[in-house]
C-alpha cells in the first residue's frame, strides 16, 4: 500500500529525478577524476580526494538550484540549514574512497532526502556498473527500474555476510572480535569497503546480511530506505 506523501508542495517524482540526475553527474565526475587526483588523509587511513569535493559540489549545486529552501548534510564538511524547511538532503559523494584511490571498482554516490525524521527518497549509484538503486518511501526499491527484494536465506550457515570495520582499526578493536565471532557460523564473510553498496546489495538480495558499528548518516541514509 502506498504511504501518504507528507508534503503537498513537493512531488516525490521531482525529488527522485533531481537525486538521480545529481548522482549520475557526480558519477561522471568521479570517473573523470580517476587516475589524476591527489590523496589527503582526513585522519589516519581516512582518505579524501579532489573527486570527493568536486562530486559533492555538483550534487549540492544541482539540488540547491531546484529546492532553494532545503537543508543539507554531506560528508565533506557540508552542513547547511537554509530555512526551517523539514526537508534535508544527506549526501555522500563518494562512498568507498579507499577503493576509488586503489582502482578497486566498488564505490558509489549516495543521496537521500528526509522529511523531518523520515527518509523519503534514496539513490545509490554505482558508476562502474551503471547501476542505479532507487527508492521512494512506501513505493518499493528498484535497480535500473527493476524491482528488488532482500534475500530469502534464513539460516546463518547458508549466508554470505559482509562487515565494515572502522578506519585504521587495531587488532584488539571490538569490531575485529565481532568479525571473528561471526566467521564460524556463516558460509562466508566479506569486507568490501563501501557501506552504501553493501546496503544496496542487501536490498537486492545479493548479500544476505551486512553489519557495521561505525557508520555515519551519509553512509547509510539511502541504504536504510532501500
Amino acid at each position: 500500500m502506498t504511504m501518504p506523501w507528507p508534503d503537498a508542495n513537493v512531488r516525490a517524482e521531482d525529488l527522485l529525478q533531481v537525486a538521480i540526475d545529481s548522482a549520475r553527474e557526480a558519477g561522471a565526475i568521479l570517473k573523470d577524476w580517476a587516475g589524476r587526483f591527489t590523496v589527503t588523509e582526513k585522519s589516519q587511513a581516512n582518505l579524501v580526494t579532489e573527486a570527493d569535493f568536486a562530486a559533492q559540489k555538483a550534487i549540492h549545486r544541482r539540488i540547491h538550484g531546484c529546492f532553494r529552501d532545503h537543508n543539507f548534510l554531506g560528508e565533506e564538511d557540508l552542513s547547511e540549514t537554509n530555512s526551517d524547511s523539514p526537508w534535508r538532503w544527506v549526501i555522500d559523494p563518494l562512498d568507498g574512497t579507499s577503493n576509488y584511490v586503489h582502482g578497486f571498482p566498488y564505490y558509489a554516490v549516495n543521496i537521500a532526502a528526509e522529511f523531518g525524521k523520515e527518509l523519503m527518497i534514496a539513490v545509490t549509484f554505482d558508476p562502474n556498473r551503471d547501476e542505479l538503486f532507487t527508492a521512494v518511501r512506501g513505493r518499493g526499491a528498484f535497480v535500473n527500474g527493476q524491482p528488488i527484494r532482500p534475500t530469502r536465506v534464513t539460516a546463518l550457515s547458508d549466508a554470505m555476510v559482509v562487515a565494515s570495520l572502522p578506519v585504521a582499526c587495531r587488532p584488539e578493536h571490538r569490531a575485529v572480535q565481532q568479525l571473528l565471532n561471526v566467521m564460524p557460523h556463516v558460509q562466508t564473510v566479506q569486507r568490501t569497503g563501501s557501506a552504501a553498496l553493501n546496503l544496496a546489495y542487501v536490498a537486492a538480495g545479493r548479500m544476505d546480511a551486512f553489519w557495521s558499528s561505525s557508520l555515519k548518516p551519509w553512509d547509510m541514509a539511502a541504504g536504510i530506505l532501500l
Side-chain angles (χ1 to χ4, degrees):
M1 183 176 65
T2 302
M3 297 178 63
W5 187 250
D7 190 342
N9 298 314
V10 181
R11 296 196 318 151
E13 294 78 7
D14 295 336
L15 290 167
L16 182 61
Q17 190 59 57
V18 170
I20 289 171
D21 293 344
S22 300
R24 288 195 176 279
E25 181 180 359
I29 289 170
L30 297 180
K31 297 199 79 172
D32 180 63
W33 270 102
R36 62 183 182 91
F37 52 79
T38 55
V39 182
T40 304
E41 279 194 330
K42 293 188 285 187
S43 58
Q44 185 184 2
N46 188 12
L47 307 181
V48 66
T49 72
E50 297 100 330
D52 295 73
F53 289 105
Q56 181 169 281
K57 184 177 179 180
I59 294 167
H60 177 266
R61 182 178 61 244
R62 184 182 286 269
I63 296 174
H64 184 58
C66 295
F67 305 104
R68 305 291 296 185
D69 64 331
H70 287 193
N71 305 305
F72 292 87
L73 176 67
E75 179 176 16
E76 307 309 335
D77 300 320
L78 176 61
S79 181
E80 190 172 288
T81 301
N82 296 308
S83 70
D84 59 358
S85 170
W87 287 103
R88 183 174 74 160
W89 294 85
V90 184
I91 300 164
D92 191 342
L94 172 50
D95 185 80
T97 300
S98 293
N99 288 349
Y100 179 74
V101 166
H102 289 279
F104 182 66
Y106 194 84
Y107 54 84
V109 180
N110 226 25
I111 301 174
E114 56 185 16
F115 184 88
K117 296 185 179 297
E118 295 287 346
L119 289 161
M120 303 304 297
I121 299 289
V123 170
T124 298
F125 178 54
D126 177 352
N128 292 294
R129 296 170 185 78
D130 194 30
E131 286 194 325
L132 184 76
F133 297 85
T134 60
V136 175
R137 188 174 189 86
R139 303 184 189 181
F142 302 84
V143 59
N144 291 346
Q146 299 301 309
I148 55 176
R149 59 163 295 150
T151 181
R152 298 178 187 273
V153 171
T154 57
L156 274 177
S157 59
D158 296 329
M160 173 178 159
V161 305
V162 180
S164 278
L165 300 180
V167 172
C169 187
R170 303 289 299 171
E172 62 273 14
H173 196 285
R174 177 170 170 266
V176 176
Q177 190 58 55
Q178 289 176 336
L179 176 67
L180 296 175
N181 289 343
V182 168
M183 288 179 69
H185 301 285
V186 298
Q187 193 171 85
T188 183
V189 178
Q190 306 291 338
R191 184 187 180 207
T192 61
S194 173
L197 279 182
N198 292 346
L199 289 166
Y201 276 30
V202 170
R206 299 175 184 178
M207 296 174 179
D208 299 310
F210 164 64
W211 87 91
S212 174
S213 60
S214 57
L215 298 186
K216 303 297 185 183
W218 44 80
D219 297 320
M220 60 182 177
I224 288 171
L225 185 58
L226 286 168

